[in-house]
Amino acid sequence: MKKNFTYTNENTSQISFPLGGIGSGSIGLSGNGRLIDWEIFNRPNKKSTNGYSTFAIKAYDGENLIDYKILNGDFLPPYMGEIDRNKPHKHIGFGVGPDENTFAGFRHFKESSFTGEFPIAKIDFKDESFPGNITMEAFNPLIPLNDLDSSIPGAFFEITVLNTFEKEVEYGICLSVSSPFDFDQANNLKSTKKNVNYIKIGNKSIKDDDPKYGDITIATDCDDISFQEYWYRGFWKNNLEMFLNDFTLDKRFLNRNYKSPSSEHLSIPFLKDTSSLCAHIKLKPKEKKAVKFIITWNFPNMYNYWEKDVDKTPWKNYYSTIFKDSTKSALYSFENWERLVGDTRLFKEALFSSSLDEWVLDAVSSCISVLKSPTCLRLTDGTFYGFEGCGDNTGYCEGSCTHVWNYAYALPYLFPKLEQSMRTADFKYNQLDDGYMRFRLHLPLGEYKLNELEERPCVDGQMGGIIKSYRDWKISGDGKWLKDNWPYIKKSLEFAWAKTNKYLWDPDKAGVITGRQHHTLDMELFCANSWLNGFYLAALKAGSEIAKFIGDDDSSKLYLSLFEKGKQFTDSNLFNGQYYFQNINLSKRELLEPYNWDPSILSYWNNEKNQISYQIGEGCEIDQVVAGWHANLCGLGEIFDKAKVKSALKSIYKYNFKSMRDVTNVWRLFSINDEKGVIICSWPEGTSKPSIPLTYSYETMTGFEYAVSCHMLQEGMIDESLEIVKAIRDRFDGIKRNPWNEFECGSNYARSMAAYSLLLTYSGFRYDAVENHLEFYPINLKYNTKNNCDNLTYFFTSSHGWGTISYDENEVIIKILYGRIDIKTMNILNKKIVFDDIKSIDKNMELKILLNS
């Protein structure tokens, strides 16, 4: 059962903890220690095991084998076997039991517990028959602001052995990894460089521009090793039988090499080679020692496999421009191991020192794992690119989808340069001359020709891009970047009233979008509604601030006047006394007539009920005031009337936060039975529900839920916010779902990174790099809650450094752990402080502010 981020027994069954760099793919560490989800080959690869890839350990008393075990805990039910429609032959799969590459039938540890504090996982193994306690710690570097080291294509392991025997014991710790290449292509070679022993699992016949080209390296820092470049090649289970012989009958491996595979070997179907690297250590009673291992990979050639009729010419992954092959990244990682693990641990400990409820900290830390999943790519020049999520073996919903990535608050604060690269690519490749923005960035860059009927502009995505541009400018302080992008920002905003806008968003410059509005729920709304008009209002306000900085005063005044008109209309005409709604007459078919140029518009009319379909109408929708959440996080100020916002949030809590026992859901089932969640839209008693309502109405999608719960927190609804977060994370408990895979349209879903905003809001920390201005007002102090506020600590990031900020009743202390922060003015608990000159706080320095002075 989960407690303090530790999972045991059945709570480990669904765990897959991603180990990999940003944009480099990953390997999953399962709850019992298996190496699963081998997503290193430039695409998702859920439920994969990569042959016989595993860790194993053995113990010798002199020349006598005491015991050996695969470094796994128990394999958990069900035991019927997996359904695999692509299974190579009939003797595996459902009805045959677990496959042998799960190692469920091998000797393994009886007790194991999994502690996950992303980005570091730890598994403790114990068994009364084995003379030692084993701890495996696994990670990939995650160092905020350091995107290069956080993009290393590798899985790092540190395995610590404590000798519990009464005598000296010699241990052999073995890492085996299977080759992705056929026998006739295999080229596995053991080498030693810079005190690192490694086997490069390569190929000798695939051309270097082929998408299948690449290599894997397994390596250790242990100087006493034995190895096998190749396991025994044979039919049936001969390779496994021989591995057991080689591992257990002899203390050390004897190498095996197949220089020229015979015709017999080439005819063996479905089998791949496997290599083993074994570290040997001797420990006296009660002595403890750690051995480091790494699995690195390099599959440099990415191509657009997910779309039809596009250029399939490969491009190079960013990591392959830094590391020539997997051996280079392995050697770099060992050479810099102490710094890489030190900075990663520093970040983890700073994050987990934050004064957050356990459920909130769980949500904040776990959502970051999306960045280490195959949802994320980095293009050749380092530009960040994301799917929405991952299918079993393909990316889902390509193109850094603007309306989904609107919610993803982890990336801009942890790696602001990567977030900026998304804005730059979006404006450069997705904008047409009149400001029309495609909401998906297609690859290869610049190759896509617009089909307007398939990809129309998206209100929340396009307006969100302007809000994010404002945010990214404030985070980075990069005025040049903002000025370079100002022409694109301006055209994007003014497309709302452009004469070429066939969607008629705001043709009369009323500050209200009333036309046809595509959005993140994949259909269109018609007429005025607070949800999408809120995005427009926030974009107008952000655009006004940007224009003022640029020196375009006329535009700044225009945008502000439109904002004020639009806000007045929204608060006066779209609020029903409890919440904001969509002002539409569903029976007016003529609302669709301006869009008859699009044949798909016919699908919006329900002939039997004489209604427009897929609308909110009088419903209470989860995102009705989400623009206010964005504005609060970005420092834009009020978008809607504050009292009405709080009333709307109370209504969402009252009408949309439900037990699934009370919901009939015809859509995707993200929560069931007694699980609770916030559904997308409800129609309270006394309101009229459309016969075919808003898409996904009954679903509970975590990104939306985190956004609204965080907005409640911003408005002082602390208990309600926490209840929602707890309900979400209770659904991802390791039994029912993977704690490090919140899904929506696929696994590792980008929108779930909305959870990071909870840290920003709880801490009340905001840094404006344009003004060198720092604010700090923890939410518990702001609303005088009964929670313990005597000593509060929070992790924070700025554009050039990160650290912690702490409060007690007498002082606030800012500690810089990485980089630096420059401060000219501060607002600490509403106490304003101005320095004569910019004060720079560098790494390992701290600034104390006495509150009573």
Side-chain angles (χ1 to χ4, degrees):
M1 184 175 181
K2 177 189 164 191
K3 185 178 181 181
N4 296 325
F5 311 103
T6 295
Y7 300 76
T8 58
N9 303 322
E10 66 271 17
N11 287 77
T12 66
S13 67
Q14 298 304 308
I15 287 175
S16 180
F17 189 97
L19 304 171
I22 299 174
S24 75
S26 60
I27 298 170
L29 180 64
S30 79
N32 75 333
R34 295 168 56 212
L35 301 177
I36 61 174
D37 296 349
W38 284 72
E39 303 181 291
I40 66 176
F41 307 111
N42 291 320
R43 63 192 303 163
N45 195 18
K46 302 299 182 190
K47 297 291 186 179
S48 60
T49 54
N50 192 46
Y52 301 115
S53 301
T54 189
F55 281 95
I57 190 167
K58 59 184 176 180
Y60 276 84
D61 175 9
E63 296 301 316
N64 300 315
L65 177 67
I66 305 172
D67 194 14
Y68 78 91
K69 295 187 186 299
I70 299 296
L71 204 55
N72 289 175
D74 280 351
F75 184 85
L76 295 174
Y79 300 143
M80 289 293 292
E82 296 285 342
I83 293 178
D84 183 359
R85 306 298 183 193
N86 300 311
K87 60 188 177 184
H89 57 80
K90 63 184 179 182
H91 298 299
I92 65 172
F94 189 79
V96 185
D99 196 63
E100 73 271 9
N101 59 18
T102 65
F103 292 97
F106 282 59
R107 292 177 62 85
H108 56 269
F109 286 83
K110 186 176 181 180
E111 298 179 47
S112 64
S113 63
F114 187 106
T115 301
E117 296 178 326
F118 199 83
I120 298 174
K122 180 171 71 74
I123 308 179
D124 292 306
F125 299 96
K126 294 181 181 180
D127 196 305
E128 59 188 14
S129 68
F130 191 84
N133 293 340
I134 318 300
T135 297
M136 172 192 287
E137 193 171 64
F139 72 101
N140 176 279
L142 200 158
I143 307 165
L145 308 183
N146 183 345
D147 62 90
L148 190 153
D149 285 334
S150 300
S151 299
I152 295 172
F156 294 59
F157 303 88
E158 189 163 321
I159 297 173
T160 302
V161 182
L162 170 65
N163 181 5
T164 58
F165 205 46
E166 67 275 8
K167 299 180 182 178
E168 181 178 77
V169 176
E170 181 176 350
Y171 297 91
I173 309 167
C174 176
L175 170 61
S176 300
V177 169
S178 293
S179 169
F181 308 111
D182 294 332
F183 285 165
D184 60 333
Q185 300 170 332
N187 185 27
N188 303 343
L189 183 63
K190 155 66 174 63
S191 299
T192 301
K193 287 184 181 177
K194 299 181 179 179
N195 298 318
V196 175
N197 288 294
Y198 63 90
I199 298 175
K200 183 178 181 181
I201 302 170
N203 72 86
K204 59 187 176 185
S205 59
I206 301 176
K207 294 182 179 179
D208 63 7
D209 60 351
D210 191 309
K212 294 181 180 179
Y213 176 83
D215 47 75
I216 300 171
T217 293
I218 59 175
T220 180
D221 67 339
C222 187
D223 56 1
D224 185 9
I225 60 106
S226 62
F227 62 93
Q228 281 188 350
E229 292 170 331
Y230 296 80
W231 281 14
Y232 180 81
R233 288 175 173 174
F235 290 95
W236 292 90
K237 309 301 180 186
N238 300 5
N239 52 357
L240 281 172
E241 293 282 11
M242 288 294 287
F243 167 72
L244 281 174
N245 287 337
D246 295 339
F247 187 56
T248 64
L249 298 184
D250 296 309
K251 185 183 291 188
R252 305 176 71 87
F253 281 120
L254 295 177
N255 189 31
R256 183 183 296 107
N257 194 301
Y258 293 100
K259 296 293 186 183
S260 300
S262 66
S263 59
E264 176 189 8
H265 293 144
L266 295 179
S267 68
I268 299 175
F270 319 126
L271 296 180
K272 306 288 186 182
D273 282 307
T274 300
S275 301
S276 291
L277 184 62
C278 189
H280 297 272
I281 58 174
K282 291 182 180 181
L283 295 180
K284 295 178 181 178
K286 307 304 180 185
E287 188 179 2
K288 183 166 64 175
K289 186 173 183 179
V291 176
K292 302 180 183 71
F293 283 92
I294 194 169
I295 305 170
T296 51
W297 54 87
N298 197 298
F299 292 88
N301 303 314
M302 183 67 181
Y303 73 101
N304 186 331
Y305 65 84
W306 55 88
E307 289 184 276
K308 296 180 179 178
D309 304 321
V310 298
D311 184 358
K312 301 297 183 180
T313 303
W315 62 86
K316 297 295 182 185
N317 284 317
Y318 169 73
Y319 72 76
S320 71
T321 70
I322 306 300
F323 303 110
K324 180 181 178 181
D325 57 20
S326 60
T327 300
K328 293 291 186 184
S329 52
L331 294 175
Y332 173 85
S333 298
F334 271 111
E335 185 176 355
N336 295 277
W337 187 289
E338 296 307 319
R339 177 179 60 81
L340 295 172
V341 71
D343 286 348
T344 300
R345 196 180 304 281
L346 193 67
F347 160 64
K348 191 272 291 186
E349 291 175 352
L351 176 62
F352 279 79
S353 73
S354 298
S355 301
L356 301 173
D357 182 273
E358 180 183 3
W359 298 97
V360 176
L361 186 53
D362 188 25
V364 169
S365 60
S366 298
C367 81
I368 300 169
S369 66
V370 174
L371 298 178
K372 298 291 193 167
S373 77
T375 292
C376 305
L377 310 177
R378 292 192 69 180
L379 308 184
T380 306
D381 65 355
T383 294
F384 184 92
Y385 178 96
F387 293 96
E388 292 182 28
C390 301
D392 289 349
N393 65 353
T394 186
Y396 274 174
C397 304
E398 72 287 343
S400 304
C401 180
T402 54
H403 53 244
V404 169
W405 282 86
N406 274 346
Y407 296 77
Y409 269 84
L411 186 65
Y413 283 90
L414 296 175
F415 300 98
K417 289 183 180 179
L418 297 187
E419 181 73 27
Q420 278 183 270
S421 75
M422 295 178 80
R423 300 289 84 68
T424 300
D426 194 30
F427 287 132
K428 183 175 181 179
Y429 296 103
N430 272 346
Q431 190 176 80
L432 305 187
D433 289 341
D434 63 351
Y436 179 120
M437 295 285 294
R438 299 185 299 225
F439 61 86
R440 298 192 188 278
L441 180 66
H442 293 268
L443 300 178
L445 289 172
E447 295 294 323
Y448 185 76
K449 294 182 180 180
L450 177 69
N451 182 336
E452 189 170 354
L453 297 183
E454 293 182 358
E455 192 174 341
R456 54 191 63 90
C458 177
V459 174
D460 46 351
Q462 184 152 338
M463 296 302 152
I466 298 162
I467 301 167
K468 289 181 288 191
S469 294
Y470 173 84
R471 176 198 66 194
D472 297 346
W473 165 51
K474 288 291 187 177
I475 289 174
S476 68
D478 191 343
K480 181 182 183 305
W481 174 83
L482 188 71
K483 290 176 181 178
D484 289 345
N485 283 290
W486 169 239
Y488 304 104
I489 296 168
K490 182 180 174 72
K491 283 198 295 183
S492 184
L493 181 54
E494 295 184 0
F495 178 72
W497 56 83
K499 293 181 179 180
T500 54
N501 186 340
K502 297 186 292 184
Y503 303 91
L504 306 176
W505 286 355
D506 184 16
D508 299 324
K509 292 186 182 179
V512 182
I513 290 185
T514 55
R516 177 178 176 174
Q517 304 153 56
H518 193 60
H519 54 75
T520 193
L521 297 179
D522 298 331
M523 298 300 280
E524 275 83 37
L525 293 182
F526 303 88
C527 301
N529 63 90
S530 66
W531 168 24
L532 299 177
N533 201 60
F535 272 99
Y536 182 39
L537 294 177
L540 286 166
K541 200 168 188 182
S544 177
E545 291 294 316
I546 294 170
K548 184 188 300 183
F549 174 80
I550 297 296
D552 187 346
D553 293 337
D554 289 342
S555 293
S556 180
K557 292 175 183 177
L558 171 62
Y559 301 159
L560 187 58
S561 69
L562 292 182
F563 164 77
E564 290 169 346
K565 285 195 296 182
K567 181 180 184 300
Q568 171 65 28
F569 176 91
T570 302
D571 287 331
S572 300
N573 296 280
L574 300 179
F575 189 78
N576 67 6
Q578 290 190 84
Y579 58 84
Y580 291 90
F581 63 99
Q582 179 193 16
N583 189 5
I584 185 172
N585 184 338
L586 295 174
S587 65
K588 291 184 68 174
R589 187 169 186 171
E590 56 265 34
L591 292 174
L592 305 178
E593 291 178 359
Y595 316 105
N596 284 337
W597 51 268
D598 178 2
S600 71
I601 202 68
L602 297 174
S603 65
Y604 283 84
W605 184 250
N606 183 336
N607 285 310
E608 290 193 10
K609 297 294 184 179
N610 292 318
Q611 274 190 359
I612 299 174
S613 298
Y614 314 121
Q615 305 302 294
I616 299 169
E618 298 177 18
C620 180
E621 194 266 338
I622 192 171
D623 263 358
Q624 59 186 270
V625 288
V626 71
W629 170 67
H630 285 294
N632 290 338
L633 292 168
C634 299
L636 275 172
E638 191 175 283
I639 302 299
F640 308 101
D641 178 86
K642 188 173 180 63
K644 291 176 180 177
V645 166
K646 189 160 186 178
S647 176
L649 292 171
K650 287 182 176 179
S651 296
I652 294 170
Y653 178 79
K654 178 179 179 181
Y655 297 125
N656 294 41
F657 184 47
K658 295 176 177 290
S659 165
M660 295 306 110
R661 292 281 179 194
D662 304 323
V663 176
T664 299
N665 183 4
V666 304
W667 293 92
R668 296 166 298 186
L669 301 175
F670 299 133
S671 52
I672 59 175
N673 302 331
D674 292 318
E675 293 177 326
K676 297 185 73 174
V678 186
I679 62 173
I680 294 296
C681 197
S682 67
W683 285 266
E685 185 176 351
T687 62
S688 177
K689 179 181 178 181
S691 54
I692 300 178
L694 181 69
T695 43
Y696 314 131
S697 293
Y698 322 104
E699 293 184 359
T700 55
M701 294 185 265
T702 66
F704 293 94
E705 292 176 282
Y706 285 132
V708 76
S709 68
C710 183
H711 201 174
M712 291 176 185
L713 186 67
Q714 292 169 347
E715 298 301 327
M717 298 170 62
I718 297 174
D719 292 340
E720 295 90 337
S721 172
L722 180 58
E723 189 178 358
I724 292 170
V725 173
K726 184 180 184 298
I728 297 170
R729 291 308 295 170
D730 186 58
R731 304 195 311 247
F732 293 85
D733 63 353
I735 303 176
K736 296 170 286 189
R737 301 170 188 86
N738 179 10
W740 293 278
N741 181 1
E742 291 191 13
F743 49 88
E744 186 183 313
C745 185
S747 293
N748 314 116
Y749 200 76
R751 199 189 322 256
S752 68
M753 287 188 282
Y756 195 83
S757 67
L758 291 163
L759 170 64
L760 306 175
T761 300
Y762 266 101
S763 69
F765 179 93
R766 193 170 69 85
Y767 179 73
D768 181 340
V770 177
E771 304 291 339
N772 298 124
H773 175 72
L774 182 152
E775 295 181 4
F776 178 61
Y777 204 155
I779 207 78
N780 289 335
L781 295 176
K782 186 174 182 180
Y783 289 102
N784 293 316
T785 69
K786 296 179 181 179
N787 296 336
N788 184 0
C789 297
D790 293 338
N791 191 354
L792 299 173
T793 297
Y794 298 97
F795 170 77
F796 74 85
T797 57
S798 71
S799 51
H800 293 99
W802 48 265
T804 61
I805 185 165
S806 302
Y807 159 86
D808 65 25
E809 59 183 351
N810 296 312
E811 64 183 3
V812 169
I813 302 175
I814 301 170
K815 292 183 180 180
I816 300 301
L817 303 174
Y818 187 97
R820 73 170 202 281
I821 187 170
D822 298 328
I823 304 173
K824 175 63 177 175
T825 61
M826 293 193 296
N827 191 334
I828 304 292
L829 279 60
N830 274 346
K831 178 180 181 179
K832 296 181 180 179
I833 302 170
V834 179
F835 298 108
D836 293 335
D837 297 304
I838 293 177
K839 183 178 288 292
S840 290
I841 315 171
D842 295 317
K843 180 179 178 180
N844 297 326
M845 293 177 61
E846 62 181 45
L847 174 66
K848 292 185 178 182
I849 301 103
L850 297 178
L851 299 176
N852 298 323
S853 64

